Each structure stands twice: as structure tokens, then as C-alpha cells.
Amino acid sequence: MHQLSQSNAPIYEALIKYKSMRVVPFDVPGHKQGKGNPKLTEFLGKSCLSVDVNSMKPLDNLCHPTSVIKEAEELAADAFGAKHVFFMVNGTTSAVQGMIMSVCQKGDKIIMPRNVHRSAINALIISGATPVYINPGVSKKLGIPLGMAVGDIEKAIKENPDAKAVFVNNPTYYGICSNLKAITELAHKHGMYVLVDEAHGTHFYFGDNMPISAMEAGADMAAVSMHKTGGSLTQSSFLLTNCDVNIGYIRQIINLTQTTSASYLLLSSLDIARRDLALNGKEIFKKVTSLAEYARKEINKIGGYYAFSKELIDNDTIFDFDTTKLSIYTRDIGLAGIEVYDILRDDYGIQIEFGDIGNVLAIISVGDRELALERLVSSLSEIKRLYSNNKSDTFDHEYINPEVVMTPQNAFYSNKISMSIGESSNKICAEFIMCYPPGIPILAPGERITQEILDYINYAKEKGCLLTGTEDINIEKINIVEEL
């Protein structure tokens, strides 16, 4: 094999060469390097539009890479310590679905925590695989779902020895990590694949003193959102593989749903971001960690807020914590996280990642500056002073254990009836309801609708959470499975 150099960026270099050739385009896209859409060119820039091009021999083809994309994949695999890396332009959603659909077929069981992203349950609807849900730990104090206990996974494996895979969120949105190495060893001992939703863990591969990464733990596949903490463009991701599943087969699975018109803007951003992380990642994430630690310390000085960290570690459902995550519990000032989220944006011009019932999350990355964090801290201090109230009306937990009655696929494709959400108690849900972000379903197809869930949905609505998932755009009606 030829010598790999992490200072190379093959896709980016091929695009630069293409630009220098001054090619006259009689192919798609129809804007013809920006000439056909001056407003768009003015908005995004001539340089950007000139490389928004179609696949061709000098630029390779993502559906079947043989040259520059293949070389870029090899460099990414080397950087992440994987056997192979697939460039994904349909987001980490398609990487998660690619993992599940590569190892599970209709009727196959997959062990997974219920607080998965909707993309994982969507993969079950498409493939017909059957989930064996493990309820994650729940923090009574913070009201959030935690990681998976090794003991719970062991029990699920014993009860379902025919399961094909174990699926793990690592880290969770809040930065909480499970004991990935122990889970991987346990699953492998029973002949099961380990698939990791590592959407929020790009930096685990490059920073010092980070929680263990999926590839280092020996997992079989991982879906990594390069655009979240790795610096690439939105919607660009990697699917890392480290197993015996045929690479050509995985690519066929990916090609079932991924576009045949891959954006070279997204592909080149992955290539350039990987190069930057491989060369400078340690330094980048050292800075990110220190910025997050600084903000955490300052927020905890305010009082009333709790920016949590490694002190939560219990070596079980909280095996480790990602200190780059600035997760802040807000209920002690009498405000739901979503309320703090809205006030920060509307009154202070600060957009954070998300707010839920009890917490807010600020993503800290290489693009942040100390001055901006000082502004966040002072705004939170002022919000406490102006809006703090008693906390009697706050809902005390974010995660509700579901009762699964049918497989997601059977429920989603069943004969359905639309009814008012308020009247749906005890029915079987045939679609999703979730707060977005983070996109973890409150209800998924095949689950029993309970009064506790309905109370939670009403509370989330009252507090201003963005609810999504139902056919009804107003989230007033819900599709239920027609009972015979």
C-alpha cells in the first residue's frame, strides 16, 4: 500500500486542480459554476459555487470510489484507527442506518437503549429488525437518561442470545459515556456486533485524556458526526468500520439510501477537517476542554445552576464524562431548560444547542472564544436575577420507560387512525413524537401511549419545546394503530 500522509487532502486537491483546468461545464448542476444564479453566487461566494460540481473521472464517484475519494477514505481510516471509513453526505442519520442495516435483516433482534436518536428507530422501520430495548439509567437529580449498565446488557444478551448486535449511544447528548470496552467484550463473547452512535464523539479520537473511542474499545462500527465537533460542513459524517462485514456489502447498503449526487462541498469539508484534526487535534481539543472547564467553573459560581462534570461518574451508568460538553441543569432557578434556551436567544442574542425540561447544552468547539463564553456566563447570571422563581411546577424527569407492544415497522405500516393526542391514552402509537433537538423520541411506533407520557408532552408544549414527528404539523392529532 502506498505511504499515507495526513497532510494530504486528496478530494480538496483534486477540486483545486479541476478549478485550474477552467473546464467548460455541459453537465449538472445547472447553475454552471454559479453563472446561472448570481444571487446564490453573491450569497455563498464564487469560490464555493465553482466547486459545487458533479462526479467525473478526475473527481471520483462516492457510490463506487476508485481514486481520490478512495484515497481520502484510507487517510480517514488511518486517522481514526479504523479498518475502513465511508464518507457520508446524508448526515450521521444515514451512517447510523448504514450500521444497523448492514448487520440486521427483517426479524433480527438488536439490543439498544431506548433513548436512541430517531435515526436508529427509523432504521428498524426500514429494515424490519426488532428492538430489544434496555432502559438507560436515569439521574433522579438531573432528570436525564444516562448510559447503559453492563449488568442490564448482560441480562438482555442472556434473554436474547440470538440478537445480532448491541447498539450504544456514546457519548449521550449530555456527555455521559457507558463502559464501552466492557460492553464490547461482553457482546463479542456472545458473537454479537457492537454498533456505536458516536455522533458527539469526534474529539475522542484526537484529544488527550478523552473518554475511550469506539474504535479503541474494539467496537465493530461507529457513526461519527464530523460536522458537530470536527469542523466539517453540516450534514457531513463518517461511518467507521472495524469488523469482518464485507466493505462492498456495507457500501451497497449505504447506496440504498444515500444520494448519487454527492456534494463535493461536503466531501471536501470532510477531507480538510480530517487533515486538520490529524495534524492539530491534540492542541485543538486541549483548548476546547479548557474553555469548557472555565465556563463550567464560572457558571457554578453563579449559584442556582449546576454545570455538571466528572463528579457524576459512578463506574456504571455514568462510566465517564466528556468534559468538552457544557451541560447545565437549570431547574433550581425554577426555569425549564427550554425556557432558558429561549430567553438566551430572544433577549441576549445567544444560540445554544438545545434546552429540554431540566437542562441546557452549549456546544464548545475550536471556533469558540473566551469573550463569547464570558457573555454566556453573564447572561445566565442576569437570567437568574430577572426570572428566577419557585420550582413547584417543574416536571421532574426527561425519560419515561416505554411499553413496547409491536415492532416499529409493523406499527408504522399498520392500518392507522388519527385521533386527538389528549384522547389517545392506552392506544398504540403508530408514529413518532419528539422534542427537537435532540431528536430522541418521547413516543416511537409500536409503544403504548400512557397518561404519564401525555402529561410530559403537554408540559413540553407549555414550556415551548419544538415538538416534531407526527403527520399533523400542529402536533394536536396522533396516528394510532387500529385495533381489530
Side-chain angles (χ1 to χ4, degrees), residues 182-447:
I183 291 168
T184 301
E185 285 166 1
L186 179 65
H188 284 171
K189 202 168 83 180
H190 291 85
M192 296 177 192
Y193 291 105
V194 177
L195 314 177
V196 184
D197 180 344
E198 213 168 20
H200 290 268
T202 307
H203 45 295
F204 289 5
Y205 291 88
F206 302 99
D208 279 328
N209 305 314
M210 294 280 170
I212 193 169
S213 70
M215 293 297 103
E216 202 185 335
D220 296 289
M221 296 192 210
V224 175
S225 286
M226 276 291 279
H227 67 94
K228 286 191 169 77
T229 58
S232 67
L233 289 177
T234 296
Q235 203 180 308
S236 60
S237 295
F238 283 148
L239 171 52
L240 315 181
T241 72
N242 185 31
C243 59
D244 57 5
V245 182
N246 184 291
I247 296 303
Y249 177 67
I250 298 171
R251 198 179 298 281
Q252 283 185 333
I253 293 290
I254 290 167
N255 286 344
L256 289 175
T257 53
Q258 182 153 264
T259 178
T260 53
S261 305
S263 163
Y264 277 88
L265 302 177
L266 299 181
L267 293 174
S268 58
S269 81
L270 282 169
D271 205 19
I272 294 165
R274 180 271 315 150
R275 181 176 71 175
D276 195 28
L277 293 182
L279 300 176
N280 310 306
K282 277 191 168 32
E283 195 182 303
I284 287 168
F285 292 118
K286 187 179 176 186
K287 181 191 164 198
V288 170
T289 305
S290 74
L291 283 172
E293 290 289 14
Y294 161 76
R296 196 166 6 251
K297 202 169 87 215
E298 293 301 310
I299 289 163
N300 285 332
K301 277 185 199 165
I302 297 169
Y305 294 105
Y306 175 33
F308 47 92
S309 186
K310 282 182 178 281
E311 70 282 352
L312 296 178
I313 290 173
D314 63 5
N315 292 315
D316 189 22
T317 52
I318 311 171
F319 184 76
D320 206 346
F321 186 82
D322 173 11
T323 55
T324 70
K325 296 277 185 300
L326 186 57
S327 305
I328 308 158
Y329 178 70
T330 64
R331 279 186 56 230
D332 286 343
I333 64 163
L335 292 177
I338 187 65
E339 292 173 306
V340 175
Y341 168 93
D342 284 339
I343 296 165
L344 278 169
R345 185 193 55 248
D346 297 343
D347 296 358
Y348 295 91
I350 293 173
Q351 180 62 53
I352 56 172
E353 177 67 10
F354 81 87
D356 58 30
I357 298 303
N359 303 270
V360 290
L361 170 67
I363 295 281
I364 312 299
S365 76
V366 65
D368 285 302
R369 299 290 176 267
E370 202 165 300
L371 198 64
L373 286 165
E374 281 166 9
R375 187 172 153 190
L376 174 64
V377 172
S378 63
S379 300
L380 287 170
S381 178
E382 201 168 295
I383 289 168
K384 181 196 169 189
R385 187 171 60 77
L386 295 174
Y387 297 96
S388 191
N389 61 41
N390 71 48
K391 42 182 188 161
S392 57
D393 77 327
T394 49
F395 208 86
D396 68 351
H397 58 292
E398 187 68 27
Y399 177 78
I400 297 167
N401 290 348
E403 183 195 337
V404 181
V405 187
M406 293 170 75
T407 68
Q409 188 183 63
N410 287 346
F412 186 81
Y413 289 114
S414 67
N415 290 332
K416 298 184 275 256
I417 298 169
S418 176
M419 64 160 34
S420 163
I421 287 180
E423 293 165 14
S424 65
S425 184
N426 215 34
K427 303 293 184 192
I428 301 166
C429 186
E431 56 184 350
F432 289 99
I433 293 190
M434 69 204 90
C435 294
Y436 196 87
I440 295 164
I442 300 165
L443 273 171
E447 294 175 1

